[in-house]
């Protein structure tokens, strides 16, 4: 499994690192535990919910202006696994998730240039505030895989949209 992180205008991705920090305007998105998303085979929903998560925290670094943000997941160009086989959990804590959904069933989407972005988080932060650390688990659900996946590549990326509120 590969997960990347991108931002529409200003971004800095450090490839092949466990932790990444992306600055987007007045927001910083810190993602840790990226290696937790390396999978060798599909899992049951129970195994996926118990798997190691990726954690992320959004910080508004501006000392004067509040900012709104949305975090989306989308399939990168290297993906060849159907999104209907992917489960995602965005709730729970560092030890386990509590619920999951099929990625392609998330109805809150953004479509740009033919790419569908599935919103997994949204919020607003006052100036200089650090948001709550959140946990993300993504896995290929063995109950949803219709055919055997040989040499499959799951290439999902995070897309951050921010807006300074005046």
């Amino acid at each position: 499994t590969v997960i990347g992180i991108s931002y529409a205008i200003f971004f800095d991705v450090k490839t092949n690192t466990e932790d990444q920090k992306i600055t987007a305007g007045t927001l910083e998105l810190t993602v840790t535990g990226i290696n937790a998303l390396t999978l060798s085979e599909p899992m049951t929903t129970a195994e996926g919910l118990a798997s190691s998560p990726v954690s992320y925290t959004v910080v508004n670094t501006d000392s004067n202006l509040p900012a709104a943000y949305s975090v989306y997941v989308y399939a990168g160009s290297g993906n060849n696994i159907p999104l209907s086989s992917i489960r995602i959990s965005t709730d729970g804590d560092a030890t386990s998730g509590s619920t999951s959904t099929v990625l392609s069933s998330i109805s809150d989407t953004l479509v740009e240039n033919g790419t569908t972005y599935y919103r997994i988080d949204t919020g607003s932060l006052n100036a200089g505030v650090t948001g709550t650390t959140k946990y993300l688990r993504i896995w290929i659900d063995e109950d949803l895989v219709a055919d055997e996946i040989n040499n499959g590549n799951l290439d999902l990326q995070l897309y951050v949209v921010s807006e300074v509120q005046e």
Side-chain angles (χ1 to χ4, degrees):
T1 302
V2 176
I3 188 163
I5 301 168
S6 66
Y7 179 70
I9 298 173
F10 304 107
F11 70 96
D12 178 23
V13 176
K14 295 166 183 62
T15 58
N16 298 321
T17 62
E18 175 73 2
D19 303 330
Q20 296 188 20
K21 184 178 284 192
I22 293 86
T23 301
T26 67
L27 296 179
E28 283 183 358
L29 174 70
T30 301
V31 182
T32 59
I34 291 173
N35 292 339
L37 294 179
T38 301
L39 304 174
S40 59
E41 59 188 52
M43 301 179 187
T44 65
T45 299
E47 290 169 330
L49 289 171
S51 67
S52 296
V54 169
S55 65
Y56 67 94
T57 308
V58 179
V59 178
N60 184 353
T61 61
D62 193 282
S63 60
N64 296 313
L65 297 171
Y69 68 90
S70 292
V71 179
Y72 295 87
V73 171
Y74 73 99
S77 60
N79 186 62
N80 62 3
I81 295 177
L83 297 183
S84 60
S85 299
I86 308 305
R87 281 209 176 265
I88 185 168
S89 173
T90 57
D91 61 356
D93 56 28
T95 58
S96 68
S98 56
T99 62
S100 69
T101 189
V102 175
L103 180 60
S104 61
S105 72
I106 295 174
S107 60
D108 194 357
T109 62
L110 169 69
V111 178
E112 288 183 351
N113 299 323
T115 300
T116 301
Y117 300 83
Y118 301 92
R119 186 160 69 177
I120 62 167
D121 189 15
T122 187
S124 183
L125 293 173
N126 288 327
V129 171
T130 298
T132 305
T133 297
K134 298 181 182 175
Y135 299 92
L136 171 65
R137 290 171 174 81
I138 299 173
W139 66 96
I140 302 166
D141 194 308
E142 70 179 20
D143 296 334
L144 299 175
V145 176
D147 299 314
E148 186 175 337
I149 299 172
N150 290 318
N151 299 317
N153 186 40
L154 179 57
D155 177 11
L156 297 178
Q157 299 189 22
L158 293 179
Y159 181 69
V160 182
V161 176
S162 68
E163 178 181 339
V164 173
Q165 300 169 333
E166 296 186 54

